[in-house]
Amino acid sequence: MSIFTGAAVAIVTPFNEDCSVNYEKLDKLIEYQIENNTDAIVICGTTGEASTLSHEEHLDVVRHCIKTVNHRVPVIAGTGSNSTETAIYLSKEAEAAGADAVLLVTPYYNKATQNGLYVHFKDTADAINIPCILYNVPSRTGCNILPETAVRLAKDVKNIVAIKEASGNISQIAKLLQLADGCIDLYSGNDDQIVPIMSLGGIGVISVLSNVAPQQTHDLCQACLDGDYKKASKMQLEALPLIDSLFSEVNPIPVKKALNLMGFEVGPLRKPLTEMEDGHTNILKENMKTYGIY
């Protein structure tokens, strides 16, 4: 049984001006997402600036999100690390807090071999009982989960049930789905590839766009799930200029700017991330206006 189908938001972590976590604003974001039919919430992922949260902050944010959501939608905790020991620790704590699943990014910087990836993910998944989603994003980690490795993990480890594919390589994704033959759920990790990936057999997206357009992203995925690819393609193409702006600088710089422009007051970014450049901000504003969210 799938953890979710449709659109999950990779939610931002709001900060106060001193860069401490703003839990009041996080609650506001969570309620906005649920009111607008987001299908799941991914907390403390890339978009949530997990890489600059301490372990204590990371787990406090996960616990707070789970408590606020209160079983209304699935909560998926980002618990990946370049250290297998740390990934196991964070995953165990997320399970104890009541997370519905964990999202495990490939070990960044270490650049593990395919065998190293297998051992890393297997050891982490074996340490917990809740479902695990592999997260393949080689542009950020320097490490690519090959289709054969993902399928091997899904077949060998009972709670490795899905993969978030953000390689951008449609040929690789097609090969993965062909080799898997249904043994692993696949989510798009790129907002500009929702329709292509779902047309091949993906069941949804883990989305940055959903932060600012949750209903629209849900509806796009639902059109795919309903088999209405004419409608879905139209929605995908209409969203492309906004999606391009949301990735005109490294994520989550643009999406935090967009949320602040929308009045959500999610605060600053933690260094080394810096505020969006004026030229990109102006284009973002125009694309938000065209899309009807600013």
Side-chain angles (χ1 to χ4, degrees):
M1 189 172 178
S2 299
I3 301 165
F4 75 94
T5 57
V9 61
I11 202 164
V12 307
T13 301
F15 295 132
N16 296 301
E17 286 308 308
D18 64 358
C19 280
S20 60
V21 177
N22 189 329
Y23 289 100
E24 180 183 347
K25 298 302 181 184
L26 178 58
D27 287 346
K28 184 178 178 182
L29 291 178
I30 290 168
E31 295 305 326
Y32 174 69
Q33 290 295 320
I34 293 173
E35 288 166 9
N36 286 275
N37 294 311
T38 280
D39 297 291
I41 293 175
V42 175
I43 189 78
C44 290
T46 304
T47 313
E49 295 179 76
S51 59
T52 51
L53 298 174
S54 69
H55 291 167
E56 292 78 12
E57 288 175 317
H58 188 134
L59 293 170
D60 283 346
V61 171
V62 168
R63 293 182 188 112
H64 186 91
C65 179
I66 291 166
K67 183 178 179 181
T68 300
V69 172
N70 193 25
H71 305 290
R72 288 177 288 173
V73 295
V75 174
I76 300 156
T79 57
S81 173
N82 66 329
S83 162
T84 305
E85 183 179 352
T86 301
I88 289 171
Y89 164 68
L90 293 173
S91 298
K92 283 182 172 180
E93 291 295 319
E95 179 180 33
D100 295 285
V102 295
L103 180 68
L104 302 172
V105 72
T106 47
Y108 38 89
Y109 190 78
N110 305 55
K111 296 179 71 173
T113 64
Q114 293 302 303
N115 187 57
L117 291 176
Y118 178 87
V119 171
H120 172 81
F121 288 125
K122 185 178 188 303
D123 285 359
T124 305
D126 282 346
I128 58 175
N129 295 303
I130 56 176
C132 302
I133 305 173
L134 308 179
Y135 179 16
N136 193 35
V137 57
S139 65
R140 294 191 79 124
T141 66
C143 192
N144 183 31
I145 308 173
L146 294 179
E148 294 83 358
T149 304
V151 171
R152 181 184 171 204
L153 281 161
K155 289 182 175 179
D156 290 355
V157 187
K158 66 179 180 179
N159 58 330
I160 292 180
V161 300
I163 184 168
K164 175 186 177 183
E165 246 298 345
S167 67
N169 185 336
I170 292 293
S171 297
Q172 175 173 299
I173 293 165
K175 183 177 181 181
L176 170 55
L177 287 163
Q178 181 261 320
L179 291 175
D181 195 26
C183 77
I184 191 167
D185 288 335
L186 192 140
Y187 300 106
S188 175
N190 291 330
D191 286 309
D192 62 349
Q193 294 183 335
I194 298 171
V195 171
I197 286 174
M198 291 190 72
S199 72
L200 288 168
I203 62 170
V205 63
I206 296 176
S207 171
V208 175
L209 176 65
S210 282
N211 279 280
V212 296
Q215 185 67 59
Q216 296 93 322
T217 313
H218 164 85
D219 290 348
L220 194 166
C221 289
Q222 191 59 53
C224 291
L225 293 168
D226 292 341
D228 190 348
Y229 280 98
K230 183 175 181 180
K231 176 182 177 182
S233 296
K234 182 174 184 292
M235 295 176 72
Q236 176 83 85
L237 295 175
E238 287 173 347
L240 278 181
L242 175 58
I243 293 166
D244 287 345
S245 283
L246 290 175
F247 291 91
S248 60
E249 294 186 26
V250 67
N251 178 47
I253 291 173
V255 73
K256 271 199 148 177
K257 173 63 74 175
L259 285 166
N260 283 330
L261 289 169
M262 293 170 73
F264 281 100
E265 299 176 340
V266 297
L269 302 128
R270 284 194 176 178
K271 297 174 184 177
L273 299 185
T274 53
E275 289 300 311
M276 196 172 189
E277 295 174 11
D278 289 344
H280 291 148
T281 299
N282 292 334
I283 297 170
L284 173 64
K285 286 179 182 177
E286 288 303 312
N287 287 328
M288 289 172 69
K289 287 177 184 175
T290 301
Y291 199 67
I293 60 171
Y294 176 62

